[in-house]
Amino acid sequence: MNKGTHFNGQPMYGQLINLLSKDEILKFSRNRNGERYVKHFDAYQHIAVMLYAVIKRFDSLREITDSMFPEARKLAHIGIKTMPRRSTLSDTNARRPESVFEDTYRSLYARYKDELSSDSRKRQVPSWLNRLQIIDSTTISLFSDLIFKGVGRHPRSGKKKGGIKVHTNIHANEGVPSDIKFTSAATNDSFMLKPTNYNDGDIIALDRAYIDYSKFEELTGRGVVYVTKMKKNLVYEELSDMMYMAPCGLMEYRVQVVEFKKRTKDGEDIKHKARIVTYVDIKKKTPKIISLLTNDMDMDVENIIAIYRKRWEIELLFKQLKQNFPLRYFYGESANAIKIQIWVTLIANLLLMVIQKRIKRSWSFSGLATMIRIMLMYYVNCYTFLEEPERDWAKMVQEAKETPPEPSLFD
């Protein structure tokens, strides 16, 4: 029997979860009291089932449990020995601490971050890219505000939905979150900016929601460069102003050195010196004037603009998560269950990114996620198949050409 050139003795899903450490997950769970009163459905099986669900993009507990029974033999071979009922999975999502999944994600990130980082020797990248970190947040809407408080109201109905805000920090050359915090949607973003988390030489790209003079002054003292977008209502004293013109006679960019002054609630006076870089963004359909704020007084204006444009990498990450994984419907109504599903989504995203880095063939993330979702329970080698998915088809065509035609009854 021809098993194909990609045949493997383990389903593709088994090869994917081999990137996890069962002993480590169980250790995290025991440390967090996640194994208390557990007889069969341990933390490793829990995370394996949840990974299976988010990769397959199931929207409900019924879809998860019903789809697992036909695959019971295959799943048993890769360590899922208990086929959980809906009630079991629901209770476990509500009871097992979400910190178990957080610990698992952080451990995976520490293990694979070097593999995920871009290799500057293979392609030309700016010298600042490896030092750049990006901060932003995304809001995941919920149907109720009983768990996480929403922000704003629907303009027509006046009803208010709940929402969980995912605050994220990524290294620009890695493309996966290095730090994550969950809050309600009504929480202001600025708390995520902690100067003590950064070292001399780091560069931070952030949105204008993070503007805080005292933190900016502390970042400057630590040798950390920030680049953010200006708010319109900022009050400052102008120290110098220089405008650079293009050969056509129009403004290319404008550079102002300014000083901000503010008195805190404690009566402390804060002074912060910064540079405002204004330019015309012609990449948009309608050219728009944009002003950036930075504490770096020497870097080329082109690099300042390029750093802020790189901030959109984190927006692409949020889009990638929401388009390829189920974050519209949740498998539980408790805060713990919602956080577990988001952590598992982040774990699935990280594992697929590792596979994407390991293969030489160029795949878009959406294409790779779709192919893995389709082939998840097939006995094919994950890496050879993704390198040459058409190899079996080419082999069959060649065999058909070489096989002599069968004699006809009329011969």
Side-chain angles (χ1 to χ4, degrees):
M1 178 180 176
N2 181 16
K3 293 182 178 178
T5 57
H6 299 299
F7 176 76
N8 191 284
Q10 191 178 46
M12 187 180 287
Y13 184 51
Q15 300 160 59
L16 183 68
I17 64 172
N18 281 341
L19 297 172
L20 303 173
S21 170
K22 180 178 180 179
D23 293 338
E24 196 173 56
I25 292 170
L26 293 176
K27 177 184 174 183
F28 292 147
S29 187
R30 284 191 291 268
N31 291 343
R32 301 284 189 175
N33 291 325
E35 296 305 298
R36 183 177 292 181
Y37 309 121
V38 174
K39 294 181 179 179
H40 304 291
F41 197 51
D42 60 30
Y44 176 75
Q45 294 185 77
H46 187 187
I47 197 170
V49 168
M50 291 294 290
L51 270 173
Y52 174 79
V54 300
I55 292 172
K56 297 288 278 185
R57 294 186 68 174
F58 293 140
D59 290 331
S60 67
L61 293 177
R62 183 183 291 277
E63 287 185 17
I64 299 170
T65 54
D66 289 354
S67 69
M68 290 178 66
F69 286 112
E71 307 288 2
R73 288 181 177 272
K74 296 178 184 178
L75 293 170
H77 291 158
I78 59 178
I80 305 177
K81 299 178 181 179
T82 301
M83 296 293 107
R85 297 180 180 274
R86 278 182 294 159
S87 58
T88 302
L89 193 52
S90 177
D91 291 344
T92 309
N93 280 339
R95 187 182 66 249
R96 180 166 281 130
E98 52 90 15
S99 53
V100 175
F101 298 81
E102 177 182 357
D103 293 342
T104 301
Y105 177 83
R106 295 189 187 282
S107 174
L108 287 169
Y109 170 75
R111 189 185 311 162
Y112 294 115
K113 66 177 182 178
D114 292 337
E115 201 169 338
L116 289 167
S117 60
S118 302
D119 190 346
S120 58
R121 295 170 297 180
K122 294 182 180 179
R123 59 187 179 90
Q124 288 188 343
V125 297
S127 58
W128 46 260
L129 183 65
N130 292 335
R131 298 185 289 134
L132 177 61
Q133 299 186 51
I134 309 168
I135 310 175
D136 206 351
S137 67
T138 186
T139 300
I140 299 171
S141 297
L142 305 174
F143 290 104
S144 169
D145 63 352
L146 297 177
I147 305 171
F148 293 102
K149 185 180 177 182
V151 58
R153 292 185 179 272
H154 192 280
R156 292 184 179 178
S157 66
K159 292 182 179 179
K160 190 174 184 180
K161 285 186 178 180
I164 182 169
K165 187 176 281 188
V166 183
H167 302 266
T168 309
N169 187 105
I170 71 169
H171 291 261
N173 65 333
E174 293 173 356
V176 298
S178 58
D179 191 21
I180 306 105
K181 294 284 188 293
F182 298 145
T183 67
S184 66
T187 305
N188 190 276
D189 291 345
S190 60
F191 87 96
M192 190 69 177
L193 180 59
K194 297 180 180 178
T196 53
N197 290 348
Y198 303 96
N199 302 312
D200 186 8
D202 286 346
I203 302 173
I204 312 172
L206 42 132
D207 203 358
R208 54 191 172 191
Y210 297 88
I211 290 180
D212 185 313
Y213 301 143
S214 60
K215 290 183 179 180
F216 283 177
E217 185 62 22
E218 190 176 347
L219 287 171
T220 304
R222 296 179 69 87
V224 179
V225 173
Y226 69 82
V227 177
T228 186
K229 195 174 182 180
M230 280 279 290
K231 286 182 177 179
K232 293 181 180 179
N233 59 347
L234 296 184
V235 178
Y236 52 82
E237 179 185 346
E238 188 174 87
L239 303 180
S240 67
D241 189 353
M242 182 88 58
M243 189 175 292
Y244 298 83
M245 310 299 292
C248 62
L250 299 176
M251 184 193 81
E252 188 171 12
Y253 49 83
R254 177 186 180 188
V255 179
Q256 300 165 273
V257 177
V258 300
E259 186 175 65
F260 298 94
K261 298 178 181 179
K262 185 178 180 180
R263 174 164 290 186
T264 65
K265 295 180 181 179
D266 300 331
E268 181 185 357
D269 290 327
I270 297 174
K271 292 183 179 180
H272 179 64
K273 190 176 179 182
R275 185 163 58 142
I276 300 174
V277 175
T278 304
Y279 70 101
V280 180
D281 189 353
I282 59 175
K283 292 190 175 183
K284 297 181 179 292
K285 291 182 180 179
T286 304
K288 187 177 181 181
I289 295 177
I290 294 177
S291 295
L292 304 179
L293 184 67
T294 180
N295 60 344
D296 190 293
M297 301 295 174
D298 304 315
M299 191 181 296
D300 291 341
V301 170
E302 290 80 4
N303 285 336
I304 297 292
I305 296 171
I307 286 171
Y308 185 75
R309 283 179 176 158
K310 199 69 179 175
R311 193 193 72 81
W312 288 100
E313 289 287 323
I314 201 167
E315 301 290 351
L316 295 177
L317 170 64
F318 295 149
K319 185 177 179 181
Q320 176 176 300
L321 291 170
K322 291 181 177 181
Q323 286 187 345
N324 294 285
F325 302 104
L327 288 175
R328 288 184 60 200
Y329 302 102
F330 288 87
Y331 306 143
E333 296 181 352
S334 67
N336 193 73
I338 292 169
K339 290 180 180 180
I340 283 177
Q341 187 169 335
I342 297 174
W343 280 119
V344 173
T345 297
L346 292 168
I347 291 170
N349 178 74
L350 188 149
L351 296 180
L352 294 189
M353 290 283 285
V354 170
I355 290 176
Q356 187 180 38
K357 288 286 186 178
R358 288 183 175 182
I359 56 178
K360 296 178 182 178
R361 187 186 180 108
S362 179
W363 284 87
S364 67
F365 186 88
S366 293
L368 180 77
T370 300
M371 188 61 72
I372 289 178
R373 182 164 56 252
I374 294 169
M375 305 294 293
L376 193 63
M377 301 310 295
Y378 285 32
Y379 286 92
V380 296
N381 185 295
C382 177
Y383 300 102
T384 63
F385 177 80
L386 292 172
E387 289 285 8
E388 298 181 86
E390 67 283 348
R391 187 195 296 175
D392 276 352
W393 175 253
K395 182 180 177 182
M396 290 171 62
V397 171
Q398 185 62 32
E399 288 176 352
K401 288 180 180 179
E402 295 174 355
T403 304
E406 295 183 3
S408 170
L409 293 173
F410 300 101
D411 290 344

